[in-house]
Amino acid sequence: MLGPDRQRRRDHARHRTTNRSRNSPFFSAGECHMSDPTRPYEPLTSENAALILIDHQVGLMTGVRDYSTGELKHNVIGLAKGAKALKLPIVVTTTARDSMWGPTFPELVEALPDVPIIDRSSVNAFDDPKVAQAITATGRKKLIFAGISLEVCAAFPAITAVGKGLDAYVAVDASGTFSETKRQVGLLRMLQAGVILSDYATLMVEILKDNARQEAGAVYGAIDMPWAKLVGQVAQAYGK
């Protein structure tokens, strides 16, 4: 049995720990956004989602340090092709293309030949009237963002979308940034604002929903997960 003084110290420490947890940004983000009983989670679908690709430009990609250039390109292309297979509206934008950061990397342009690329000068893509109009014109209330850099080009418009009453998602592995600090504070800031973080493949599979869908083969081929290819090859072998 604890003595009175020791019990008081123990209760005080427990109280401090509880308050510190409740005041942490991770606690508040989870409590405020994910457990709101008045707003149950509504899954992504082909009918309610759109993809917004921001500033996947050659000049910006040279500074990315959290993914290799090859891996980041693979993930962005997988996201773009998956969204295309699922027939999502896609908006693509660049910033200062001709004066600072250069063109969209050519593999992405090739993957989306029919999607116009909107160049702008604003840092936050949502501040540009043409981009904002293109997003609004999709008619979708769930927006999937990816961009370089993660903490600015993906985060700022995603946070703006939340402020407009939309659901914002960020495909973290189809975004990139220039240091570990920028990555961590960017993720933290988005969580604080109520943005939903995920990886590109999971977002596409959530929209697919059912492996019996006609688009399933195209979606899995688009997102190009090497282990999934192996599983498919095994299934094909046993099916013969």
Side-chain angles (χ1 to χ4, degrees), residues 113-127:
D114 301 321
V115 178
I117 299 175
I118 305 169
D119 194 45
R120 63 183 207 286
S121 61
S122 64
V123 174
N124 184 342
F126 240 130
D127 288 342

Side-chain angles (χ1 to χ4, degrees), residues 10-121:
R10 183 174 178 179
D11 291 343
H12 180 64
R14 184 183 298 115
H15 177 71
R16 288 174 57 195
T17 300
T18 301
N19 284 343
R20 190 160 54 242
S21 297
R22 290 188 180 277
N23 289 329
S24 79
F26 289 105
F27 183 93
S28 60
E31 285 294 298
C32 294
H33 185 70
M34 299 305 293
S35 61
D36 182 356
T38 65
R39 190 178 182 226
Y41 179 69
E42 180 185 355
L44 291 161
T45 70
S46 294
E47 290 73 40
N48 66 17
L51 175 64
I52 320 298
L53 298 174
I54 304 170
D55 301 351
H56 291 97
Q57 294 167 253
V58 173
L60 290 167
M61 291 194 71
T62 62
V64 170
R65 295 293 179 266
D66 51 347
Y67 294 100
S68 69
T69 300
E71 183 180 7
L72 182 56
K73 282 186 173 183
H74 169 274
N75 295 348
V76 175
I77 295 300
L79 177 62
K81 288 184 175 180
K84 186 177 179 180
L86 289 161
K87 300 180 176 58
L88 301 189
I90 301 173
V91 177
V92 182
T93 180
T94 55
T95 184
R97 177 182 58 214
D98 299 323
S99 59
M100 291 181 69
W101 303 121
T104 302
F105 70 84
E107 295 92 334
L108 181 56
V109 177
E110 183 180 345
L112 300 173
D114 301 321
V115 178
I117 299 175
I118 305 169
D119 194 45
R120 63 183 207 286
S121 61

